[in-house]
Amino acid sequence: MARIRWGASWLTQGRPDHPPVVFAAKIDNAMRLVALDTLAERVGLKRGQGAADARAMCPSLDVIIDDPAADRALLEGLADWCDRYTPLVALDGKDGLFLDITGCAHLHGGEKVLVNDVLSRLFLLGVEARAVISSSAGLSWAVARYGSAAVIAPEDAERVLAPLPVAALRLPEETVALLDRVGLKEIGDLLQAPRAPLTRRFGSLLLLRLDQARGHADEPLSPRLPVPSFSAERRLAEPLQDEEHILELARHLSGDVRLSLERHGEGGRLFELLLIRVDGRVFRIQAHAAVPLNDADRIAALFRERLQAVHDDLDAGYGFEILRLSVLRSERLDPAQDDFSGVPDESQPLAAFADKLCARFGPDCLTFATLAESHLPERAGGFAPLTDVATVIGSRPVDEKACPENRPLRIFTHPELVEATAEVPDGAPRSFNWRKTQYRVARAEGPERIAAEWWLDGEGHPTRDYFRVEDQEGRRFWLFREGLYGRETSSPRWFMHGVFA
């Protein structure tokens, strides 16, 4: 809100002369405060307070309706921005982020330098934030919201935790209220109390949260994005704006990634180019490869096509200061050698063609026919995106039993209801009305009975009887009767499922 109303530099220029700002949402049929700025906290307002009461305390209060979608978008954007420090970024509720900086702190000058860099950059972007580095996620969460330290050594965990309120342990409100009622208001009170009575009285979650905050119990984090297998990065002293310069740097990054791929004997199938703009906005451009790649020129060519496809959506602004090329998915790539005839592998031209089209128009622009394990016609075949050229070239010949000769050339994805006249119980149609046209049947063949797939459709799904019919004009159709007369239904329905010519 502050960035939108007062600009991104509102923190550096000072807060304008404006009344306290709060966000309100409807909770239990009443408008209550869900977020407050620092000025609103100073006048004594609190979260959960009724909006009417808050306005009575501060008549000039600026009340804004809460927008969870906008809050989520902002948090996602900040999470993208934090990728400059570590790829392991996890969301923490509605207003927090967890960053696993294990093995990354030395790249930024150490933990203290890193946390200062995070806060100073966010300050310049107009974002008020608090950051804590510790050996456990629970301790960082507690101190960031209720304490004041920036970097906490493992041996200082209990000393820092002791004066904090029990709410800093991420406990339910009911548990916090019960602890307060018996006089356990600070975490230090819990550290000195026997564990067995605490478990019997307040449950096992209390001790779990306490152990997690002290670093005695593991608390794995779930990154919001997959961690890349290989990556290469450039931090630029002068931001880049020109597309050709971006592509040239991407080609150099492709060479660095190629060395990592070759050492592991793998080729990349899914690549991502991360562009971090000077103002903090992040762009992610992904490119798929039809075969495993470790060739720098071909990897760079993928992004040339992708940049041309997203050119209008890629706003360079004042330029990009960080570029990172990552391999999100890779496969085993065995070394291959051309034969003496000099003819290259037949998959290479097709793969290059597929890569170029998919990079320009999306991964679903090319499809190929596939068969499925189903005896229902609409499920027995379909089209799948061409994501792996080797699978198409090396696929087995189609089994004749999987494609019976009595199937029509065109099968409708969704059978169309028709009005038919036929002998009961199992006779072929004599005439039918389809798409407002009456057809009289001259010849018919069938039925071909196909039972329902009860493991997908349920045991009560009706049986189908298929007929191949030819009308008096020589047109051939493929119809089926749904439901066995007298056994499954008293009035079977007829459907048109395909045409032969």
Side-chain angles (χ1 to χ4, degrees), residues 344-355:
D345 182 7
E346 62 175 336
S347 65
Q348 295 302 321
L350 179 59
F353 171 75
D355 289 343

Side-chain angles (χ1 to χ4, degrees), residues 67 109 116 124 160 174 220 231 284 345 350 389 393 397 427 447 466 486:
D67 188 353
N116 291 333
L124 295 176
V160 175
E174 299 80 5
S231 64
R284 297 179 184 274
D345 182 7
L350 179 59
V389 170
I393 294 179
Y466 279 85

Side-chain angles (χ1 to χ4, degrees), residues 216-249:
H216 296 169
D218 292 334
E219 185 178 1
L221 301 179
S222 299
R224 53 187 289 269
L225 298 175
V227 180
S229 305
F230 311 95
S231 64
E233 181 181 296
R234 290 290 188 277
R235 296 175 179 266
L236 307 174
E238 293 292 335
L240 290 182
Q241 291 179 300
D242 186 68
E243 183 175 313
E244 288 299 324
H245 292 162
I246 295 174
L247 289 172
E248 181 63 21
L249 185 54

Side-chain angles (χ1 to χ4, degrees), residues 116-391:
N116 291 333
D117 185 68
V118 171
L119 295 178
S120 62
R121 288 178 181 271
L122 290 177
F123 182 83
L124 295 176
L125 292 175
V127 179
E128 288 185 299
R130 303 180 67 182
V132 177
I133 296 179
S134 71
S135 58
S136 67
L139 179 59
S140 297
W141 191 96
V143 178
R145 287 164 173 78
Y146 297 91
S148 59
V151 179
I152 305 172
E155 59 271 13
D156 297 333
E158 293 189 4
R159 179 183 59 81
V160 175
L161 278 173
L164 302 182
V166 293
L169 293 177
R170 298 173 293 170
L171 297 172
E173 295 182 1
E174 299 80 5
T175 305
V176 174
L178 186 58
L179 288 168
D180 183 74
R181 194 177 304 127
V182 299
L184 300 174
K185 299 182 179 182
E186 296 181 351
I187 297 178
D189 301 330
L190 301 176
L191 296 175
Q192 299 174 1
R195 297 174 65 90
L198 289 177
T199 303
R200 288 195 300 267
R201 183 74 180 273
F202 306 104
S204 59
L205 179 62
L206 172 61
L207 293 183
L208 175 62
R209 291 302 193 191
L210 186 61
D211 290 340
Q212 288 176 343
R214 299 162 66 188
H216 296 169
D218 292 334
E219 185 178 1
L221 301 179
S222 299
R224 53 187 289 269
L225 298 175
V227 180
S229 305
F230 311 95
S231 64
E233 181 181 296
R234 290 290 188 277
R235 296 175 179 266
L236 307 174
E238 293 292 335
L240 290 182
Q241 291 179 300
D242 186 68
E243 183 175 313
E244 288 299 324
H245 292 162
I246 295 174
L247 289 172
E248 181 63 21
L249 185 54
R251 191 179 67 82
H252 287 289
L253 294 174
S254 301
D256 297 339
V257 169
R258 175 186 179 180
L259 297 177
S260 300
L261 290 171
E262 288 181 343
R263 282 197 299 267
H264 292 80
E266 295 187 355
R269 291 295 307 276
L270 177 60
F271 301 89
E272 180 184 74
L273 183 62
L274 181 72
L275 305 171
I276 301 181
R277 211 165 60 181
V278 173
D279 62 353
R281 187 176 177 183
V282 178
F283 295 86
R284 297 179 184 274
I285 304 175
Q286 293 188 355
H288 298 257
V291 294
L293 289 183
N294 64 357
D295 182 81
D297 292 334
R298 290 192 59 184
I299 295 173
L302 291 178
F303 288 103
R304 179 176 295 276
E305 298 294 337
R306 289 296 297 137
L307 285 177
Q308 292 180 3
V310 301
H311 182 271
D312 295 337
D313 299 328
L314 188 64
D315 182 10
Y318 291 105
F320 300 104
E321 60 178 350
I322 297 178
L323 274 73
R324 180 188 302 159
L325 179 61
S326 303
V327 181
L328 300 184
R329 189 173 70 248
S330 60
E331 295 179 2
R332 182 69 184 176
L333 180 60
D334 296 324
Q337 181 177 351
D338 294 341
D339 57 21
F340 291 108
S341 64
V343 179
D345 182 7
E346 62 175 336
S347 65
Q348 295 302 321
L350 179 59
F353 171 75
D355 289 343
K356 186 173 183 178
L357 284 186
C358 292
R360 178 67 67 90
F361 302 108
D364 298 331
C365 67
L366 294 178
T367 59
F368 67 100
T370 60
L371 297 177
E373 295 291 339
S374 176
H375 55 267
L376 290 181
E378 64 268 25
R379 296 176 181 170
F383 292 89
L386 181 61
T387 57
D388 192 344
V389 170
T391 301

